[in-house]
Amino acid sequence: MAKIKAAITGVHGYVPEYVLTNQELETMVETNDEWITSRTGIKERRILKGEGKGTSVIGIEAAKGLLEKTNTNPEDIDLVIFATITPDMVFPATANLVSAAIGATNAFSFDMGAACSGFIYALTTGTQFIESGTYKKVLVLGADKMSSIIDYTDRTTCIIFGDGGGAVLLEPSTDENGIIDAIHKSDGTGAEFLKMKAGGSAYPATHETVDAKEHYARQDGATVFKFAVTNMADYAAKIMERNQLTADDVDWLVPHQANKRIIDATASRMGVTEDKVMMNIDKYGNTTSGTIPLLLWDYEKKLKKGDNLVLAAFGGGFTWGSIYLKWAYDAK
């Protein structure tokens, strides 16, 4: 009997309507379009506007679109995993809010926080429930409303991040297609270089933490860049080596969209040519947990059943990893 694999059988994304361009950022901080584009590859990013609108809005829209296009009854969903570092609130889980909104009344759900690696961590976690035979339909989401934790007077962060995300459906596959391998790593000694200091149990919200702007994401850009280039590239190459894949075997690199130079370095380490690299950082910026599902959504019509995909990500904390999968369907 063939081993059960977990296959992605559908993908859908959502980005807010409001477009924050480099030109608009020029009116907010000391920067310009050429500086941003040459260092990051970003031209614009989407921002979720409206009082009381949190990351759940992105997740709900992505999930509803996915259920509709795959003709899936929400009551048949067994599990919902939502990768995010910008939950609507500390509790309940944003996954619970999404489940209730889409009618996934038979699912249990939880959030996963691993910063920019969150989606691939969640995808690997969902895969275990499919491979074990425990569940048949797992909804994996990755989304963030980064604008809610960005200081728009801080040039090191405000030019990079945007809002958006997507969702995939995982189902059993008994053929050669599906998720083949995954490797993940984390290193907590990197916590100081990319973090949001306040808002947790160590530094609860006070007038002092708000006045000190400690509820915003902060990063040491040079250190994060160095770690990201090394580790994201190394783990993408490592998963190729573990599965005896050459650059010619890889149909698509699906890299986290943090910085075009990091993406280019990863592709170079793998020996993959630019035409095989998924990229939409120019349109959306870094949506943290949302980048990889947004890539799969944008490129879905170009994917063919049996295509070899390598997913790679690096995030704050530090977290990183890579997934090798064979695409399971031809888009209609």
Side-chain angles (χ1 to χ4, degrees), residues 144-186:
D144 274 297
K145 182 185 176 182
M146 290 303 294
S147 62
S148 66
I149 59 168
I150 293 301
D151 176 3
Y152 284 92
T153 66
D154 175 17
R155 188 175 66 172
T156 64
T157 56
C158 73
I159 66 170
I160 296 169
F161 294 99
D163 304 340
V168 300
L169 182 63
L170 282 179
E171 296 184 280
S173 168
T174 54
D175 63 18
E176 71 279 8
N177 298 313
I179 291 168
I180 308 298
D181 194 12
I183 47 176
H184 301 292
K185 188 73 168 63
S186 59

mmCIF file of all heavy atoms in Angstrom, residues 144-186:
data_model
loop_
_atom_site.group_PDB
_atom_site.id
_atom_site.type_symbol
_atom_site.label_atom_id
_atom_site.label_comp_id
_atom_site.label_asym_id
_atom_site.label_seq_id
_atom_site.Cartn_x
_atom_site.Cartn_y
_atom_site.Cartn_z
ATOM 1 N N ASP A 144 -0.553 38.185 7.592
ATOM 2 C CA ASP A 144 -0.208 39.156 8.620
ATOM 3 C C ASP A 144 -0.668 40.547 8.222
ATOM 4 O O ASP A 144 -0.657 40.900 7.039
ATOM 5 C CB ASP A 144 1.306 39.181 8.877
ATOM 6 C CG ASP A 144 1.722 38.127 9.887
ATOM 7 O OD1 ASP A 144 1.266 38.221 11.051
ATOM 8 O OD2 ASP A 144 2.480 37.209 9.528
ATOM 9 N N LYS A 145 -1.089 41.300 9.230
ATOM 10 C CA LYS A 145 -1.356 42.728 9.073
ATOM 11 C C LYS A 145 -0.174 43.450 9.704
ATOM 12 O O LYS A 145 -0.234 43.961 10.829
ATOM 13 C CB LYS A 145 -2.669 43.115 9.759
ATOM 14 C CG LYS A 145 -3.027 44.588 9.578
ATOM 15 C CD LYS A 145 -4.265 44.974 10.376
ATOM 16 C CE LYS A 145 -4.538 46.473 10.241
ATOM 17 N NZ LYS A 145 -5.706 46.901 11.054
ATOM 18 N N MET A 146 0.928 43.491 8.964
ATOM 19 C CA MET A 146 2.153 44.053 9.509
ATOM 20 C C MET A 146 2.032 45.550 9.780
ATOM 21 O O MET A 146 2.729 46.088 10.651
ATOM 22 C CB MET A 146 3.319 43.767 8.565
ATOM 23 C CG MET A 146 3.724 42.301 8.522
ATOM 24 S SD MET A 146 4.164 41.629 10.136
ATOM 25 C CE MET A 146 5.654 42.558 10.506
ATOM 26 N N SER A 147 1.136 46.214 9.054
ATOM 27 C CA SER A 147 0.965 47.653 9.274
ATOM 28 C C SER A 147 0.536 47.966 10.704
ATOM 29 O O SER A 147 0.724 49.092 11.177
ATOM 30 C CB SER A 147 -0.061 48.229 8.293
ATOM 31 O OG SER A 147 -1.339 47.636 8.481
ATOM 32 N N SER A 148 -0.001 46.975 11.414
ATOM 33 C CA SER A 148 -0.454 47.194 12.794
ATOM 34 C C SER A 148 0.700 47.251 13.787
ATOM 35 O O SER A 148 0.521 47.692 14.923
ATOM 36 C CB SER A 148 -1.437 46.090 13.211
ATOM 37 O OG SER A 148 -0.788 44.826 13.279
ATOM 38 N N ILE A 149 1.893 46.799 13.376
ATOM 39 C CA ILE A 149 3.042 46.812 14.300
ATOM 40 C C ILE A 149 4.250 47.510 13.674
ATOM 41 O O ILE A 149 5.392 47.288 14.092
ATOM 42 C CB ILE A 149 3.425 45.385 14.766
ATOM 43 C CG1 ILE A 149 3.790 44.489 13.581
ATOM 44 C CG2 ILE A 149 2.295 44.765 15.589
ATOM 45 C CD1 ILE A 149 4.444 43.166 14.004
ATOM 46 N N ILE A 150 4.002 48.357 12.688
ATOM 47 C CA ILE A 150 5.090 49.080 12.031
ATOM 48 C C ILE A 150 5.046 50.557 12.412
ATOM 49 O O ILE A 150 3.988 51.189 12.397
ATOM 50 C CB ILE A 150 4.993 48.922 10.494
ATOM 51 C CG1 ILE A 150 5.251 47.467 10.093
ATOM 52 C CG2 ILE A 150 5.967 49.851 9.786
ATOM 53 C CD1 ILE A 150 6.606 46.924 10.508
ATOM 54 N N ASP A 151 6.212 51.085 12.730
ATOM 55 C CA ASP A 151 6.386 52.504 13.029
ATOM 56 C C ASP A 151 6.712 53.209 11.707
ATOM 57 O O ASP A 151 7.801 53.008 11.152
ATOM 58 C CB ASP A 151 7.522 52.668 14.039
ATOM 59 C CG ASP A 151 7.854 54.123 14.342
ATOM 60 O OD1 ASP A 151 7.171 55.019 13.816
ATOM 61 O OD2 ASP A 151 8.823 54.350 15.103
ATOM 62 N N TYR A 152 5.796 54.011 11.228
ATOM 63 C CA TYR A 152 5.993 54.655 9.931
ATOM 64 C C TYR A 152 6.881 55.896 9.998
ATOM 65 O O TYR A 152 6.911 56.691 9.060
ATOM 66 C CB TYR A 152 4.636 54.939 9.279
ATOM 67 C CG TYR A 152 4.052 53.655 8.712
ATOM 68 C CD1 TYR A 152 3.195 52.865 9.484
ATOM 69 C CD2 TYR A 152 4.409 53.192 7.449
ATOM 70 C CE1 TYR A 152 2.706 51.667 9.000
ATOM 71 C CE2 TYR A 152 3.923 52.000 6.958
ATOM 72 C CZ TYR A 152 3.071 51.239 7.730
ATOM 73 O OH TYR A 152 2.602 50.040 7.242
ATOM 74 N N THR A 153 7.646 56.013 11.101
ATOM 75 C CA THR A 153 8.750 56.970 11.145
ATOM 76 C C THR A 153 10.094 56.238 11.161
ATOM 77 O O THR A 153 11.147 56.874 11.228
ATOM 78 C CB THR A 153 8.662 57.876 12.389
ATOM 79 O OG1 THR A 153 8.856 57.093 13.574
ATOM 80 C CG2 THR A 153 7.316 58.563 12.450
ATOM 81 N N ASP A 154 10.051 54.904 11.115
ATOM 82 C CA ASP A 154 11.260 54.073 11.156
ATOM 83 C C ASP A 154 11.557 53.547 9.756
ATOM 84 O O ASP A 154 10.914 52.616 9.283
ATOM 85 C CB ASP A 154 11.073 52.919 12.140
ATOM 86 C CG ASP A 154 12.236 51.938 12.147
ATOM 87 O OD1 ASP A 154 13.324 52.297 11.639
ATOM 88 O OD2 ASP A 154 12.060 50.818 12.654
ATOM 89 N N ARG A 155 12.534 54.134 9.093
ATOM 90 C CA ARG A 155 12.842 53.778 7.708
ATOM 91 C C ARG A 155 13.309 52.333 7.556
ATOM 92 O O ARG A 155 13.128 51.731 6.489
ATOM 93 C CB ARG A 155 13.919 54.729 7.156
ATOM 94 C CG ARG A 155 14.180 54.559 5.669
ATOM 95 C CD ARG A 155 15.150 55.589 5.136
ATOM 96 N NE ARG A 155 16.493 55.435 5.696
ATOM 97 C CZ ARG A 155 17.546 56.114 5.273
ATOM 98 N NH1 ARG A 155 17.409 57.032 4.320
ATOM 99 N NH2 ARG A 155 18.736 55.921 5.820
ATOM 100 N N THR A 156 13.883 51.757 8.594
ATOM 101 C CA THR A 156 14.420 50.400 8.464
ATOM 102 C C THR A 156 13.328 49.344 8.351
ATOM 103 O O THR A 156 13.592 48.237 7.877
ATOM 104 C CB THR A 156 15.333 50.041 9.653
ATOM 105 O OG1 THR A 156 14.555 50.038 10.859
ATOM 106 C CG2 THR A 156 16.468 51.031 9.788
ATOM 107 N N THR A 157 12.117 49.664 8.812
ATOM 108 C CA THR A 157 11.031 48.678 8.748
ATOM 109 C C THR A 157 9.869 49.097 7.859
ATOM 110 O O THR A 157 9.275 48.255 7.181
ATOM 111 C CB THR A 157 10.486 48.376 10.161
ATOM 112 O OG1 THR A 157 10.071 49.606 10.770
ATOM 113 C CG2 THR A 157 11.530 47.698 11.023
ATOM 114 N N CYS A 158 9.532 50.386 7.848
ATOM 115 C CA CYS A 158 8.278 50.772 7.173
ATOM 116 C C CYS A 158 8.334 50.593 5.660
ATOM 117 O O CYS A 158 7.290 50.464 5.016
ATOM 118 C CB CYS A 158 7.882 52.200 7.530
ATOM 119 S SG CYS A 158 8.873 53.495 6.767
ATOM 120 N N ILE A 159 9.523 50.579 5.081
ATOM 121 C CA ILE A 159 9.617 50.393 3.624
ATOM 122 C C ILE A 159 9.442 48.939 3.219
ATOM 123 O O ILE A 159 9.179 48.639 2.049
ATOM 124 C CB ILE A 159 10.964 50.908 3.081
ATOM 125 C CG1 ILE A 159 12.125 50.061 3.620
ATOM 126 C CG2 ILE A 159 11.161 52.380 3.408
ATOM 127 C CD1 ILE A 159 13.453 50.333 2.952
ATOM 128 N N ILE A 160 9.564 48.028 4.176
ATOM 129 C CA ILE A 160 9.647 46.600 3.860
ATOM 130 C C ILE A 160 8.299 45.891 3.906
ATOM 131 O O ILE A 160 7.975 45.095 3.020
ATOM 132 C CB ILE A 160 10.624 45.900 4.831
ATOM 133 C CG1 ILE A 160 12.040 46.446 4.644
ATOM 134 C CG2 ILE A 160 10.604 44.385 4.636
ATOM 135 C CD1 ILE A 160 13.007 46.012 5.722
ATOM 136 N N PHE A 161 7.503 46.190 4.928
ATOM 137 C CA PHE A 161 6.379 45.311 5.246
ATOM 138 C C PHE A 161 5.040 45.772 4.670
ATOM 139 O O PHE A 161 4.785 46.974 4.518
ATOM 140 C CB PHE A 161 6.258 45.163 6.763
ATOM 141 C CG PHE A 161 7.419 44.450 7.378
ATOM 142 C CD1 PHE A 161 8.448 45.155 7.989
ATOM 143 C CD2 PHE A 161 7.497 43.072 7.336
ATOM 144 C CE1 PHE A 161 9.532 44.509 8.560
ATOM 145 C CE2 PHE A 161 8.570 42.408 7.902
ATOM 146 C CZ PHE A 161 9.602 43.124 8.515
ATOM 147 N N GLY A 162 4.189 44.795 4.376
ATOM 148 C CA GLY A 162 2.835 45.044 3.910
ATOM 149 C C GLY A 162 1.876 44.033 4.506
ATOM 150 O O GLY A 162 2.264 43.162 5.295
ATOM 151 N N ASP A 163 0.604 44.143 4.128
ATOM 152 C CA ASP A 163 -0.455 43.274 4.646
ATOM 153 C C ASP A 163 -0.946 42.335 3.544
ATOM 154 O O ASP A 163 -1.077 42.744 2.387
ATOM 155 C CB ASP A 163 -1.629 44.107 5.147
ATOM 156 C CG ASP A 163 -1.219 45.126 6.210
ATOM 157 O OD1 ASP A 163 -0.160 44.946 6.826
ATOM 158 O OD2 ASP A 163 -1.988 46.097 6.410
ATOM 159 N N GLY A 164 -1.274 41.095 3.926
ATOM 160 C CA GLY A 164 -1.826 40.152 2.961
ATOM 161 C C GLY A 164 -1.549 38.724 3.381
ATOM 162 O O GLY A 164 -0.890 38.465 4.392
ATOM 163 N N GLY A 165 -2.066 37.788 2.600
ATOM 164 C CA GLY A 165 -1.829 36.386 2.909
ATOM 165 C C GLY A 165 -2.669 35.458 2.051
ATOM 166 O O GLY A 165 -3.330 35.889 1.099
ATOM 167 N N GLY A 166 -2.626 34.194 2.392
ATOM 168 C CA GLY A 166 -3.338 33.205 1.593
ATOM 169 C C GLY A 166 -3.601 31.927 2.357
ATOM 170 O O GLY A 166 -3.229 31.789 3.534
ATOM 171 N N ALA A 167 -4.235 31.006 1.675
ATOM 172 C CA ALA A 167 -4.621 29.728 2.281
ATOM 173 C C ALA A 167 -4.442 28.603 1.279
ATOM 174 O O ALA A 167 -4.616 28.803 0.071
ATOM 175 C CB ALA A 167 -6.077 29.784 2.743
ATOM 176 N N VAL A 168 -4.084 27.429 1.793
ATOM 177 C CA VAL A 168 -4.021 26.230 0.964
ATOM 178 C C VAL A 168 -4.839 25.127 1.618
ATOM 179 O O VAL A 168 -5.019 25.113 2.839
ATOM 180 C CB VAL A 168 -2.577 25.732 0.735
ATOM 181 C CG1 VAL A 168 -1.734 26.792 0.040
ATOM 182 C CG2 VAL A 168 -1.922 25.267 2.028
ATOM 183 N N LEU A 169 -5.328 24.212 0.792
ATOM 184 C CA LEU A 169 -6.030 23.033 1.272
ATOM 185 C C LEU A 169 -5.107 21.841 1.129
ATOM 186 O O LEU A 169 -4.543 21.608 0.054
ATOM 187 C CB LEU A 169 -7.306 22.803 0.465
ATOM 188 C CG LEU A 169 -8.182 21.607 0.881
ATOM 189 C CD1 LEU A 169 -8.717 21.789 2.299
ATOM 190 C CD2 LEU A 169 -9.343 21.426 -0.104
ATOM 191 N N LEU A 170 -4.927 21.098 2.220
ATOM 192 C CA LEU A 170 -4.143 19.870 2.212
ATOM 193 C C LEU A 170 -5.079 18.680 2.250
ATOM 194 O O LEU A 170 -5.983 18.614 3.086
ATOM 195 C CB LEU A 170 -3.220 19.806 3.432
ATOM 196 C CG LEU A 170 -1.927 20.611 3.438
ATOM 197 C CD1 LEU A 170 -1.209 20.396 4.769
ATOM 198 C CD2 LEU A 170 -1.022 20.218 2.291
ATOM 199 N N GLU A 171 -4.847 17.723 1.325
ATOM 200 C CA GLU A 171 -5.637 16.499 1.281
ATOM 201 C C GLU A 171 -4.721 15.314 0.988
ATOM 202 O O GLU A 171 -3.603 15.489 0.496
ATOM 203 C CB GLU A 171 -6.722 16.604 0.195
ATOM 204 C CG GLU A 171 -7.759 17.681 0.466
ATOM 205 C CD GLU A 171 -8.862 17.684 -0.578
ATOM 206 O OE1 GLU A 171 -8.635 18.232 -1.678
ATOM 207 O OE2 GLU A 171 -9.944 17.133 -0.297
ATOM 208 N N PRO A 172 -5.187 14.094 1.272
ATOM 209 C CA PRO A 172 -4.347 12.918 1.031
ATOM 210 C C PRO A 172 -4.105 12.674 -0.457
ATOM 211 O O PRO A 172 -4.966 12.913 -1.301
ATOM 212 C CB PRO A 172 -5.164 11.764 1.633
ATOM 213 C CG PRO A 172 -6.161 12.408 2.534
ATOM 214 C CD PRO A 172 -6.457 13.735 1.933
ATOM 215 N N SER A 173 -2.910 12.200 -0.752
ATOM 216 C CA SER A 173 -2.542 11.804 -2.104
ATOM 217 C C SER A 173 -1.795 10.482 -2.020
ATOM 218 O O SER A 173 -0.887 10.337 -1.199
ATOM 219 C CB SER A 173 -1.654 12.858 -2.761
ATOM 220 O OG SER A 173 -1.070 12.379 -3.948
ATOM 221 N N THR A 174 -2.148 9.531 -2.859
ATOM 222 C CA THR A 174 -1.464 8.239 -2.841
ATOM 223 C C THR A 174 -0.565 8.063 -4.057
ATOM 224 O O THR A 174 0.053 7.016 -4.232
ATOM 225 C CB THR A 174 -2.471 7.078 -2.777
ATOM 226 O OG1 THR A 174 -3.419 7.225 -3.847
ATOM 227 C CG2 THR A 174 -3.202 7.064 -1.454
ATOM 228 N N ASP A 175 -0.474 9.084 -4.927
ATOM 229 C CA ASP A 175 0.468 9.012 -6.034
ATOM 230 C C ASP A 175 1.786 9.671 -5.622
ATOM 231 O O ASP A 175 2.026 9.948 -4.443
ATOM 232 C CB ASP A 175 -0.110 9.628 -7.314
ATOM 233 C CG ASP A 175 -0.413 11.114 -7.196
ATOM 234 O OD1 ASP A 175 0.112 11.760 -6.266
ATOM 235 O OD2 ASP A 175 -1.174 11.640 -8.034
ATOM 236 N N GLU A 176 2.637 9.964 -6.584
ATOM 237 C CA GLU A 176 3.964 10.498 -6.260
ATOM 238 C C GLU A 176 3.950 11.974 -5.900
ATOM 239 O O GLU A 176 4.969 12.531 -5.476
ATOM 240 C CB GLU A 176 4.917 10.280 -7.445
ATOM 241 C CG GLU A 176 4.636 11.145 -8.673
ATOM 242 C CD GLU A 176 3.514 10.614 -9.568
ATOM 243 O OE1 GLU A 176 2.833 9.646 -9.160
ATOM 244 O OE2 GLU A 176 3.314 11.171 -10.654
ATOM 245 N N ASN A 177 2.796 12.646 -6.058
ATOM 246 C CA ASN A 177 2.727 14.077 -5.818
ATOM 247 C C ASN A 177 2.346 14.396 -4.368
ATOM 248 O O ASN A 177 1.655 13.622 -3.715
ATOM 249 C CB ASN A 177 1.717 14.723 -6.774
ATOM 250 C CG ASN A 177 2.117 14.549 -8.222
ATOM 251 O OD1 ASN A 177 3.277 14.775 -8.576
ATOM 252 N ND2 ASN A 177 1.190 14.129 -9.067
ATOM 253 N N GLY A 178 2.801 15.537 -3.910
ATOM 254 C CA GLY A 178 2.526 15.955 -2.547
ATOM 255 C C GLY A 178 3.802 16.429 -1.873
ATOM 256 O O GLY A 178 4.831 16.641 -2.527
ATOM 257 N N ILE A 179 3.739 16.614 -0.569
ATOM 258 C CA ILE A 179 4.891 17.090 0.186
ATOM 259 C C ILE A 179 5.831 15.917 0.447
ATOM 260 O O ILE A 179 5.445 14.904 1.022
ATOM 261 C CB ILE A 179 4.441 17.775 1.478
ATOM 262 C CG1 ILE A 179 3.726 19.086 1.104
ATOM 263 C CG2 ILE A 179 5.625 18.063 2.401
ATOM 264 C CD1 ILE A 179 2.985 19.749 2.205
ATOM 265 N N ILE A 180 7.066 16.066 -0.024
ATOM 266 C CA ILE A 180 8.040 14.980 0.013
ATOM 267 C C ILE A 180 8.945 15.072 1.238
ATOM 268 O O ILE A 180 9.223 14.074 1.893
ATOM 269 C CB ILE A 180 8.914 14.989 -1.266
ATOM 270 C CG1 ILE A 180 8.048 15.019 -2.534
ATOM 271 C CG2 ILE A 180 9.857 13.793 -1.271
ATOM 272 C CD1 ILE A 180 7.150 13.833 -2.736
ATOM 273 N N ASP A 181 9.419 16.275 1.541
ATOM 274 C CA ASP A 181 10.417 16.409 2.598
ATOM 275 C C ASP A 181 10.364 17.826 3.157
ATOM 276 O O ASP A 181 9.977 18.775 2.464
ATOM 277 C CB ASP A 181 11.813 16.119 2.042
ATOM 278 C CG ASP A 181 12.855 15.897 3.126
ATOM 279 O OD1 ASP A 181 12.482 15.732 4.305
ATOM 280 O OD2 ASP A 181 14.064 15.887 2.791
ATOM 281 N N ALA A 182 10.772 17.965 4.415
ATOM 282 C CA ALA A 182 10.826 19.278 5.064
ATOM 283 C C ALA A 182 11.933 19.286 6.094
ATOM 284 O O ALA A 182 12.133 18.294 6.807
ATOM 285 C CB ALA A 182 9.495 19.604 5.732
ATOM 286 N N ILE A 183 12.666 20.402 6.158
ATOM 287 C CA ILE A 183 13.676 20.578 7.193
ATOM 288 C C ILE A 183 13.517 21.983 7.777
ATOM 289 O O ILE A 183 13.358 22.954 7.039
ATOM 290 C CB ILE A 183 15.111 20.366 6.674
ATOM 291 C CG1 ILE A 183 15.349 21.130 5.364
ATOM 292 C CG2 ILE A 183 15.423 18.901 6.509
ATOM 293 C CD1 ILE A 183 16.775 21.042 4.868
ATOM 294 N N HIS A 184 13.555 22.070 9.098
ATOM 295 C CA HIS A 184 13.343 23.337 9.775
ATOM 296 C C HIS A 184 14.373 23.529 10.876
ATOM 297 O O HIS A 184 14.915 22.562 11.413
ATOM 298 C CB HIS A 184 11.943 23.399 10.380
ATOM 299 C CG HIS A 184 10.849 23.249 9.387
ATOM 300 N ND1 HIS A 184 10.577 24.186 8.430
ATOM 301 C CD2 HIS A 184 9.937 22.249 9.179
ATOM 302 C CE1 HIS A 184 9.556 23.794 7.679
ATOM 303 N NE2 HIS A 184 9.156 22.620 8.127
ATOM 304 N N LYS A 185 14.608 24.779 11.218
ATOM 305 C CA LYS A 185 15.587 25.092 12.254
ATOM 306 C C LYS A 185 15.173 26.392 12.936
ATOM 307 O O LYS A 185 14.464 27.209 12.349
ATOM 308 C CB LYS A 185 16.977 25.268 11.620
ATOM 309 C CG LYS A 185 18.124 25.409 12.612
ATOM 310 C CD LYS A 185 18.458 24.094 13.286
ATOM 311 C CE LYS A 185 19.790 24.175 14.047
ATOM 312 N NZ LYS A 185 19.783 25.145 15.158
ATOM 313 N N SER A 186 15.626 26.572 14.165
ATOM 314 C CA SER A 186 15.431 27.839 14.861
ATOM 315 C C SER A 186 16.625 28.105 15.760
ATOM 316 O O SER A 186 17.344 27.181 16.154
ATOM 317 C CB SER A 186 14.139 27.824 15.687
ATOM 318 O OG SER A 186 14.165 26.775 16.633
#
